[in-house]
Amino acid sequence: MLRDNPDAVGVHIYGTNVDRDAAALAACDVAEVEPRHVSDDEYSAFALDFCRRHRIDVLVPPRRLTALAGLGAEFAAVGTRLMCSPLAAIEVLTSKTRTYEAALAAGVPVPPWRSVRDAAEFRAAVAELSAAGEKVCIKPAGEYSAFGFRVLDDGPLRIRDLLAPPVPQASVAAVADAFERAVDEGDPVPEFLVMPYLDGPEISVDCLSAPGGHPLAAIARSKAGRYRLLLDDPEVTAIARRLVEHFGLAYLSNVQLRHLEGRPVLLEANPRASAGIFQTAFTGVNLPWAAVRLLLRGETGPLAEPRLGARIAVTESATQVDAPPPALTSVDGGLAAVPTTVPAAAAIPPPFLEEAAAG
């Protein structure tokens, strides 16, 4: 979407990942390995040096946001625009507990939840939330993507269960034992959330907003297996826009919802582009490029009315990646901006940048 942009601007993509064999790097023109398990200060120093050495024009980080947010002036000093929401919003949204508390204050519907850190709190939360006979689930309160999510089920295993697709499931006893074992072995226990299991399609809303949280576009899609439905649902996009405004999110963000008793409720909000933002291309709106243009020029250019209602399939493709990632070389220009699993960069020709500076 960055390369096939409506301004016909040539874009050169740089990407970094902690794993030099990450398949996503095959989509980049230039790739580099980034440091693993380092502090925020060390990571920001790496990012600043990377942008300085390679004259990156725009940096769009999909992770380590707390390490980079608030450093706009430092990146500007090396010639790089940082596409990032305010640090205060990021610090709230990296905790689902703080997110739910803030969302409630903003009038956004959220599911009932309980925060737990040990076996006793976990068992009490399960007993309370499952009293109505509903399924209950558990997930980490921090940023773990889908890792750690489990549906809690103490029912007996049946043959039909063994023949069905696998599901992330665990018994209450097994999870409680895991909490107790962590205490016995001195392992750290992060905060977890226990909440009702919300069945039905998950809804993901990709948002574009100006600094300060002014919403410019919100495109919703529901997920059902390999299929996505591009939704025309003003109720869910209104919730997403309200969250963007409340947290003052800038450029690209993502809001996820499910339904509880027929009404949409918040699952989580991410102050970054979603990994599935490429699916919004089928609406005719290029959100990633609009965000880049907004950062560089202060305006998005014309945004088409999104074509909604289409059903699309997410399919796999094979890409040969047996050669090592291309070595980094110094090139003129650079735009760090790939909203996938890798931070990245791309070269924007000087006329575009000079016009942006003049504007």
Side-chain angles (χ1 to χ4, degrees):
M1 294 173 80
L2 290 170
R3 289 190 174 106
D4 188 23
N5 62 78
D7 293 313
V9 172
V11 175
H12 199 68
I13 305 292
Y14 290 66
T16 66
N17 195 283
V18 294
D19 180 5
R20 68 176 289 109
D21 294 320
L25 293 178
C28 302
D29 298 298
V30 181
E32 184 175 290
V33 177
E34 67 177 42
R36 186 194 298 264
H37 304 314
V38 296
S39 68
D40 280 357
D41 287 343
E42 290 171 309
Y43 188 81
S44 62
F46 157 79
L48 281 163
D49 180 65
F50 181 95
C51 292
R52 177 191 57 79
R53 286 186 289 115
H54 303 291
R55 287 179 279 183
I56 302 304
D57 297 318
V58 176
L59 173 64
V60 183
R63 62 173 179 270
R64 300 302 301 260
L65 301 183
T66 54
L68 303 178
L71 298 181
E74 288 82 350
F75 280 98
V78 300
T80 302
R81 305 281 187 94
L82 176 64
M83 187 184 291
C84 200
S85 286
L87 178 59
I90 291 169
E91 288 178 336
V92 172
L93 295 176
T94 51
S95 164
K96 293 183 179 65
T97 298
R98 294 198 297 272
T99 298
Y100 286 175
E101 291 170 347
L104 275 176
V108 172
V110 301
W113 86 94
R114 300 294 179 268
S115 172
V116 303
R117 288 184 178 272
D118 59 39
E121 291 178 343
F122 167 70
R123 289 185 182 278
V126 171
E128 179 184 359
L129 293 175
S130 63
E134 299 291 335
K135 277 189 178 181
V136 177
C137 63
I138 184 172
K139 59 184 176 182
E143 281 195 308
Y144 288 85
S145 186
F147 299 128
F149 171 79
R150 297 291 187 276
V151 178
L152 301 173
D153 190 347
D154 284 332
L157 190 66
R158 298 175 173 84
I159 292 296
R160 66 171 178 266
D161 299 322
L162 295 174
L163 299 176
V167 295
Q169 190 168 292
S171 69
V172 172
V175 175
D177 287 346
F179 277 108
E180 292 170 347
R181 190 175 300 110
V183 173
D184 293 341
E185 297 176 358
D187 292 335
V189 179
E191 179 186 15
F192 284 83
L193 296 187
V194 177
M195 56 192 296
Y197 173 62
L198 305 178
D199 207 350
E202 180 179 306
I203 298 170
S204 183
V205 186
D206 292 301
C207 301
L208 172 70
S209 56
H214 176 63
L216 300 173
I219 298 176
R221 49 192 165 85
S222 64
K223 306 177 184 179
R226 290 185 178 271
Y227 294 96
R228 306 291 184 267
L229 179 62
L230 300 172
L231 296 175
D232 185 1
D233 190 334
E235 185 176 15
V236 299
T237 54
I239 291 174
R241 288 172 181 269
R242 194 182 316 162
L243 281 165
V244 166
E245 289 182 311
H246 180 74
F247 290 109
L249 300 182
Y251 308 108
L252 298 173
S253 57
N254 177 258
V255 176
Q256 297 175 22
L257 309 102
R258 280 185 186 262
H259 283 83
L260 175 66
E261 298 176 353
R263 299 298 303 275
V265 295
L266 177 67
L267 279 185
E268 61 183 66
N270 298 303
R272 54 169 173 77
S274 70
I277 196 172
F278 66 92
Q279 297 158 19
T280 62
F282 289 89
T283 68
V285 179
N286 192 326
L287 291 178
W289 184 252
V292 169
R293 181 168 173 143
L294 178 63
L295 180 65
L296 292 178
R297 293 185 170 183
E299 47 85 16
T300 63
L303 288 177
E305 188 69 23
R307 300 188 303 268
L308 303 174
R311 183 170 178 254
I312 60 176
V314 178
T315 58
E316 296 177 354
S317 64
T319 302
Q320 185 170 328
V321 293
D322 52 351
L328 273 172
T329 57
S330 179
V331 298
D332 289 336
L335 157 85
V338 165
T340 63
T341 55
V342 294
I348 300 178
F352 188 89
L353 295 174
E354 289 168 2
E355 184 180 338

